[in-house]
Amino acid sequence: MSQPAALTDPLGSVPKYDFSNVPVQAFDAVRMKLAQLTHSLSKIRDDLSKADLPQWYSLQSQLTVTLTQLSSLNSTLQHFEELLDSTVPYPLPHFPTTAHEGLLTTLMRKKQIPEVEAWIKDAIDHSGIDINNENQEDLEKFIQKDKAITNWALDFINHEHSNYSFQGLYTAEDLSNGAGDSKIPLYRSTTFKTKNVSPFSIDSVLKYIYQGSTNESSSVSE
Amino acid sequence: MADNIYSNNFSSSPTHSDGIPIVLDPNLINLTLPTSSTAASVPATVPTNGPESATEPQPDSAGANSLKQQRTLVNNPYETFGQMPLQQLIPLILQMRGNAKFSDLSEEALVQEIEMEEKGVTVQTEDMDGEIDMGTLEEDQALKPQEITDDGSESRPRTGTENIMSQEQFNQLKRDVLEHINLALNESSLSLEFIVLLLSSVRASVGVNSMSPFLKRSVPPASMNADKIPLQQKSKRDILLTAVINKGWKLRALEEARSLLKDNYLKLEKSLEIEQAHWAIISQHISNSDVIFKMRDRNMGKRSLAIKYGYEDSGSLYKQDRGVAILRHNTEQNKLELVPVSNSKEQVHITKNSVERFMRVHVYTKIEEDDDYILSGESSIDDQSLTQCNLDDIGRQIARLKFFIFERELMYQLKKESAQLISYGVNLENENKIVFESPGEKIEIEMVLLDDNALLSTQDAPRKDDKRANLILILLRMLLVVMHKKQLRYELKPTLTKQKPRGYDKDLILLRPIVGKIRHQNYLKLIEKVVTETVLNKIPNSTINFIPTAEEKDTHTYKELYAAELDKQIALFDKMLTIPKTEMKINLLKKGTINLILKSINYCNAVIQVKYTNFSGEVIFDARFTEYKELEEFLNFIVSEYVT
């Protein structure tokens, strides 16, 4: 360990330690993502704990935000994966280890919580691969094959997706046949016209409303 | 349960398990786990280092939490529940169920839940086998297997085919979601604390600012360090393991997505079918002459379409029933139902008996000898098909409703009118029957229940007054239409609308013309009798002639097309509505003439004008009488003084 031999004055002020190996940049990035995620999660929790649930769409958007933050945290962690993997944290002597032993172990915990372990186990069960019995090469082949299938499936789905029109009132087939332009709305708002232009004088309109169309009066059809 | 999470982690220090204040209120956690958590919380009541060892750096209220913890840990809530009064226990139970309302609890749901809880263990093992919970939760974490939660068992029996979630199930799912959110929040805030603590050594300000109050209080900043070690390349096996996990997880997610998509597809398809059927029926039965508007169905609490079958837009002022029916979609039978809505705020149930009545006119003729009446005429039902209540045909139903509301209004107006005609022999016998008596005859106008009995009587042999009864009924109906039209015309005149109160008391003429005509005929008979006795019998060769009355020409001219059309239609009935008037001329040969005019000022009364002109054309008398006795005496006087 690169801890300096600053133990000459153990009872005095905190000795100077060399913190140069703390990956500041990575930690700062992770810290930001974590702060966001924690905030979002606690907001969801508060929303859900209320007697009156918020509208489903607000919950859903909140959740989407949270999931985005989660995946962003994930990619950040992945980005710094090697750096973080090769960094080993440890408490310094002035950490109140005796009073807060539990706190320390909680903070330093690397083991997954049982839920996560169960999920991982479940995932392995679902993969349909017996890790313990298959030999490594078979496994590798299997994974490779799976990747190929996944890519094919992805291509296929993308292709299928492009075959349909998911917006507007026309099907993709209609659009390719030139049946309708999806940019022009099918129904036009009736209020649109009357608000901007007034082709009739108000008097003639009132007259028409009152009299109806008579044979003699052609004045209304101006 | 919350305790277990941590005790599993720190097998070295199991005593800490009780001390970790998980974000969930331990009260609630314990409540949901009647069997397992009692066992779990018993050792928890003997904490070694108490809440002081709260290792979870709960950011917001670590202090408050630990206080609460202390209290709840010392008092095992299960010991006190048994002695709690109900008014305290029930709110607690409700709170445990996620702030449910007491009214939402049902006995069946509770029984079901208890059963589920008993089965809980076996169901869970099923889930371990990878059976996918097809719940439609939006929270992905909640979809993951819940091996560690005991109370998740309730959500398990749900399948994708189940459409409606009970309040209970919803609360259960909500609790599950909340639990998972709490787990995630826990992990996330723990990681944050860890990062921040490490960071505080290098960037003191950033680190300290992001620290939770609890951490700040208990741990000095910069009390942790990190060192770099050479990167250990992952073993091939580890990489493969990750790949396997990825694959499994993706497969699982795909499968869930597939079932979700399929569920939703099925749901959409079903609702599309329903919608399609609904609008197809509507477009089939509703034409543009119907009045359709949006309305909230009070019984179902849904938005709906309503159809107006009443005659308000045609000029009716009948307010007792607005004539509105909701088009309700019956999802079970997939058809449209027409549900009439009453006008009042509360949904007063209109019984079939009071609604499905039609008007029938009976004519009774007096039998001279024994002072009794026999039925001599009865109106028939003009539209036989009205009697069949065909629920499948909306058009038919609307026609029926229209018919019945019209008949109701007719009766309503007739009742109002008959109050004014009480002195002319019109009596309101009961709420459904009006009787008009004239010498030798009795006419009954009655609202009859439309049922088989009503139909039966129409199959009797024809009677002599059947046609007359029918004509009276038709005339009454047409006169009501005229009243409507007059109201329409009145509303068309913009200047008058505000000045007069609405209502056609003045124009309320339905029964009046009919009664008037009948009475007029009777007056005529009387006059003829009087004249015969006083004049014709005394003066030989004298004759009486009826002078045809000259018809008044319609002189109105109308500029407005619609009003003109309306006036034309109303004018068609003018003849029906003219007050009867008859002129007679008694020719006394060389002694001059007597002109008699029988007229009325209000249809029903009689005014007789007598004008005696002598031979030289000089008018000697021009007098009016309302009494036949006076007329008789006056005629006697003329005959004796001037003629003989």
Side-chain angles (χ1 to χ4, degrees):
Chain A
M1 303 275 167
S2 58
Q3 202 169 307
L7 300 170
T8 43
D9 186 14
L11 298 171
S13 61
V14 179
K16 288 235 178 295
Y17 297 105
D18 177 15
F19 291 113
S20 62
N21 280 324
V22 176
V24 181
Q25 204 197 346
F27 273 20
D28 220 21
V30 173
R31 180 192 63 89
M32 257 163 57
K33 306 285 179 195
L34 273 174
Q36 287 172 351
L37 182 65
T38 311
H39 180 79
S40 304
L41 280 170
S42 63
K43 187 165 186 309
I44 293 191
R45 183 198 57 185
D46 293 348
D47 280 351
L48 280 174
S49 312
K50 277 179 204 155
D52 296 318
L53 279 180
Q55 291 292 328
W56 64 268
Y57 45 81
S58 86
L59 260 184
Q60 202 195 19
S61 64
Q62 185 68 34
L63 194 76
T64 316
V65 168
T66 312
L67 288 177
T68 317
Q69 285 166 351
L70 195 64
S71 76
S72 145
L73 170 72
N74 234 342
S75 58
T76 311
L77 284 174
Q78 235 159 33
H79 182 252
F80 295 109
E81 190 183 9
E82 293 196 353
L83 181 62
L84 293 176
D85 264 355
S86 59
T87 303
V88 178
Y90 52 89
L92 291 174
H94 63 278
F95 189 95
T97 325
T98 344
H100 294 293
E101 186 194 342
L103 176 62
L104 183 64
T105 44
T106 311
L107 283 177
M108 305 277 286
R109 171 168 59 88
K110 274 180 83 181
K111 199 179 179 215
Q112 273 98 355
I113 55 170
E115 281 90 341
V116 175
E117 282 195 336
W119 296 334
I120 289 172
K121 183 182 175 297
D122 183 66
I124 292 171
D125 287 349
H126 264 82
S127 67
I129 302 169
D130 194 344
I131 302 181
N132 297 324
N133 293 338
E134 309 249 3
N135 66 49
Q136 203 144 312
E137 268 175 38
D138 282 353
L139 263 180
E140 228 164 303
K141 258 188 224 158
F142 201 89
I143 297 290
Q144 284 303 324
K145 201 176 142 205
D146 193 58
K147 269 186 187 155
I149 291 173
T150 311
N151 283 332
W152 172 83
L154 194 64
D155 283 349
F156 179 77
I157 285 180
N158 279 334
H159 184 249
E160 277 300 299
H161 185 270
S162 66
N163 281 347
Y164 295 93
S165 162
F166 288 93
Q167 263 157 1
L169 294 162
Y170 295 101
T171 62
E173 204 180 342
D174 287 344
L175 289 174
S176 62
N177 292 339
D181 189 348
S182 60
K183 288 182 182 72
I184 298 169
L186 200 57
Y187 303 106
R188 201 174 272 194
S189 165
T190 46
T191 50
F192 172 74
K193 211 176 155 191
T194 48
K195 260 178 193 164
N196 292 327
V197 278
S198 54
F200 305 112
S201 77
I202 187 73
D203 285 332
S204 61
V205 170
L206 283 175
K207 196 174 174 190
Y208 184 81
I209 290 170
Y210 179 61
Q211 288 196 331
S213 74
T214 51
N215 295 331
E216 305 92 16
S217 61
S218 56
S219 61
V220 281
S221 57
E222 56 178 66
Chain B
M1 166 217 67
D3 308 346
N4 298 343
I5 302 168
Y6 284 86
S7 58
N8 284 354
N9 285 325
F10 314 116
S11 43
S12 56
S13 57
T15 43
H16 289 162
S17 58
D18 49 76
I20 299 163
I22 291 300
V23 252
L24 268 183
D25 186 347
N27 255 329
L28 296 187
I29 295 167
N30 289 344
L31 275 169
T32 55
L33 300 167
T35 45
S36 62
S37 72
T38 26
S41 56
V42 169
T45 48
V46 280
T48 45
N49 38 4
E52 293 307 305
S53 71
T55 47
E56 209 302 76
Q58 181 45 28
D60 37 14
S61 60
N65 241 6
S66 57
L67 262 178
K68 200 188 265 178
Q69 180 98 5
Q70 200 157 26
R71 200 189 66 226
T72 51
L73 283 180
V74 172
N75 307 320
N76 181 2
Y78 278 89
E79 287 169 6
T80 51
F81 284 164
Q83 293 116 40
M84 255 188 189
L86 266 187
Q87 59 261 48
Q88 283 175 33
L89 183 59
I90 287 173
L92 209 66
I93 292 171
L94 293 181
Q95 196 194 351
M96 160 206 128
R97 310 184 74 90
N99 285 311
K101 286 185 194 128
F102 187 61
S103 56
D104 290 335
L105 293 179
S106 69
E107 200 178 335
E108 299 96 75
L110 287 174
V111 168
Q112 201 186 354
E113 196 181 330
I114 291 167
E115 279 173 5
M116 283 306 153
E117 224 143 68
E118 282 164 357
K119 283 187 208 153
V121 190
T122 50
V123 183
Q124 272 163 36
T125 49
E126 260 176 53
D127 196 67
M128 287 285 281
D129 295 335
E131 189 200 34
I132 284 169
D133 179 15
M134 309 235 269
T136 48
L137 267 187
E138 69 270 79
E139 168 56 51
D140 60 346
Q141 290 186 343
L143 290 167
K144 291 164 189 171
Q146 302 168 345
E147 286 85 354
I148 3 85
T149 58
D150 295 22
D151 52 349
S153 53
E154 231 236 350
S155 64
R156 221 131 287 159
R158 282 190 67 246
T159 60
T161 48
E162 214 173 290
N163 279 330
I164 302 149
M165 216 188 275
S166 74
Q167 180 71 26
E168 279 302 299
Q169 283 171 326
F170 178 76
N171 286 342
Q172 184 60 53
L173 288 172
K174 194 178 127 184
R175 250 173 290 155
D176 289 349
V177 173
L178 201 57
E179 203 174 288
H180 284 98
I181 292 276
N182 278 325
L183 282 178
L185 181 59
N186 226 8
E187 290 296 295
S188 148
S189 47
L190 258 179
S191 314
L192 182 62
E193 300 280 33
F194 172 70
I195 293 280
V196 162
L197 185 61
L198 254 174
L199 208 56
S200 70
S201 57
V202 194
R203 291 192 183 172
S205 62
V206 177
V208 172
N209 283 344
S210 310
M211 249 185 236
S212 72
F214 175 77
L215 196 69
K216 241 185 259 180
R217 229 179 317 117
S218 31
V219 181
S223 60
M224 214 178 246
N225 199 358
D227 271 328
K228 235 185 174 140
I229 54 164
L231 181 68
Q232 279 180 318
Q233 281 303 325
K234 277 184 188 161
S235 72
K236 217 163 191 183
R237 184 161 179 83
D238 278 348
I239 296 169
L240 277 176
L241 187 64
T242 320
V244 167
I245 293 172
N246 278 344
K247 179 178 185 271
W249 196 241
K250 272 182 187 159
L251 272 177
R252 208 193 142 85
L254 269 177
E255 205 166 325
E256 255 159 45
R258 182 190 63 84
S259 66
L260 274 179
L261 277 174
K262 189 162 186 186
D263 279 357
N264 283 326
Y265 162 73
L266 288 175
K267 260 187 222 161
L268 273 176
E269 200 183 31
K270 207 172 164 195
S271 74
L272 194 69
E273 256 171 41
I274 292 170
E275 292 292 315
Q276 206 271 339
H278 180 78
W279 294 106
I281 300 170
I282 286 185
S283 73
Q284 189 186 334
H285 293 295
I286 310 298
S287 65
N288 58 358
S289 61
D290 290 312
V291 181
I292 297 278
F293 53 93
K294 282 192 281 185
M295 194 168 158
R296 198 170 272 280
D297 190 339
R298 281 204 204 95
N299 280 1
M300 313 283 279
K302 279 194 215 154
R303 275 165 215 257
S304 189
L305 280 179
I307 184 165
K308 181 150 202 160
Y309 59 84
Y311 289 86
E312 197 173 336
D313 292 329
S314 312
S316 166
L317 290 181
Y318 185 52
K319 291 282 157 45
Q320 258 59 24
D321 184 344
R322 293 309 262 270
V324 173
I326 293 258
L327 291 163
R328 184 180 292 165
H329 190 83
N330 188 329
T331 18
E332 280 122 57
Q333 292 161 52
N334 209 7
K335 64 179 189 188
L336 213 57
E337 284 177 345
L338 205 63
V339 186
V341 181
S342 78
N343 192 23
S344 54
K345 280 272 179 287
E346 300 92 43
Q347 187 86 26
V348 179
H349 190 64
I350 309 173
T351 55
K352 242 185 156 189
N353 279 5
S354 64
V355 173
E356 299 206 338
R357 284 173 183 272
F358 72 104
M359 189 168 283
R360 177 168 268 179
V361 175
H362 295 281
V363 179
Y364 295 94
T365 311
K366 194 171 191 174
I367 306 167
E368 295 296 336
E369 33 297 358
D370 57 357
D371 202 30
D372 203 358
Y373 291 95
I374 58 152
L375 182 66
S376 64
E378 187 184 60
S379 64
S380 57
I381 299 169
D382 29 37
D383 191 353
Q384 291 289 340
S385 61
L386 283 172
T387 51
Q388 280 111 45
C389 184
N390 187 356
L391 278 177
D392 289 329
D393 190 347
I394 296 288
R396 193 76 254 146
Q397 282 186 61
I398 294 172
R400 270 170 65 87
L401 285 170
K402 279 187 169 165
F403 173 74
F404 288 126
I405 198 176
F406 188 84
E407 298 287 273
R408 272 204 301 284
E409 180 181 359
L410 185 56
M411 192 62 197
Y412 172 78
Q413 302 291 6
L414 278 176
K415 280 190 274 188
K416 260 168 81 177
E417 194 189 10
S418 64
Q420 304 164 15
L421 296 174
I422 201 149
S423 52
Y424 303 112
V426 178
N427 280 309
L428 193 58
E429 199 150 287
N430 61 42
E431 61 161 340
N432 287 320
K433 198 172 185 182
I434 291 170
V435 182
F436 165 58
E437 275 184 86
S438 63
E441 197 174 55
K442 193 165 83 174
I443 296 171
E444 279 183 11
I445 300 164
E446 195 180 2
M447 289 296 273
V448 186
L449 209 61
L450 185 65
D451 56 13
D452 295 341
N453 288 340
L455 290 175
L456 220 59
S457 58
T458 55
Q459 287 155 7
D460 291 352
R463 283 165 292 251
K464 72 177 171 73
D465 282 332
D466 276 354
K467 198 182 171 197
R468 210 165 134 234
N470 270 328
L471 286 175
I472 289 172
L473 183 61
I474 291 168
L475 186 60
L476 285 174
R477 287 183 182 151
M478 288 178 99
L479 286 175
L480 183 60
V481 173
V482 173
M483 272 167 64
H484 288 170
K485 286 191 187 297
K486 281 182 179 166
Q487 180 62 29
L488 276 186
R489 185 173 62 180
Y490 172 74
E491 282 167 3
L492 274 179
K493 290 174 185 154
T495 47
L496 292 170
T497 36
K498 291 285 177 286
Q499 293 162 2
K500 258 199 312 187
R502 267 163 73 99
Y504 26 48
D505 280 348
K506 189 179 78 84
D507 295 325
L508 190 60
I509 33 175
L510 297 168
L511 201 53
R512 208 179 269 271
I514 297 169
V515 173
K517 289 239 154 59
I518 292 170
R519 288 182 69 91
H520 189 78
Q521 286 307 317
N522 289 330
Y523 290 144
L524 268 184
K525 274 185 204 154
L526 259 177
I527 289 175
E528 274 185 82
K529 205 173 138 200
V530 169
V531 169
T532 312
E533 274 173 15
T534 55
V535 185
L536 297 184
N537 287 352
K538 288 180 182 164
I539 303 160
N541 294 329
S542 59
T543 52
I544 181 162
N545 294 312
F546 289 94
I547 303 164
T549 44
E551 269 183 52
E552 280 177 48
K553 263 279 164 226
D554 181 22
T555 51
H556 298 288
T557 48
Y558 304 102
K559 278 215 177 109
E560 299 129 32
L561 201 68
Y562 181 60
E565 185 62 34
L566 207 56
D567 276 328
K568 225 188 273 172
Q569 287 168 4
I570 294 169
L572 289 177
F573 293 87
D574 279 353
K575 195 161 182 191
M576 208 76 82
L577 293 177
T578 44
I579 295 170
K581 181 179 168 188
T582 311
E583 279 188 59
M584 287 157 282
K585 189 173 179 184
I586 307 169
N587 200 339
L588 303 172
L589 300 171
K590 296 276 163 68
K591 304 287 183 191
T593 52
I594 300 171
N595 281 313
L596 286 172
I597 302 172
L598 172 66
K599 55 187 182 182
S600 171
I601 44 171
N602 64 354
Y603 290 99
C604 298
N605 62 358
V607 178
I608 307 138
Q609 191 182 355
V610 183
K611 199 159 120 186
Y612 174 59
T613 320
N614 69 5
F615 184 65
S616 48
E618 201 179 332
V619 177
I620 298 182
F621 288 108
D622 189 355
R624 283 158 195 263
F625 299 96
T626 52
E627 293 278 328
Y628 287 90
K629 207 76 208 160
E630 286 175 21
L631 175 72
E632 199 177 341
E633 280 170 12
F634 185 65
L635 285 177
N636 274 330
F637 164 74
I638 291 173
V639 168
S640 59
E641 285 294 312
Y642 295 90
V643 183
T644 47

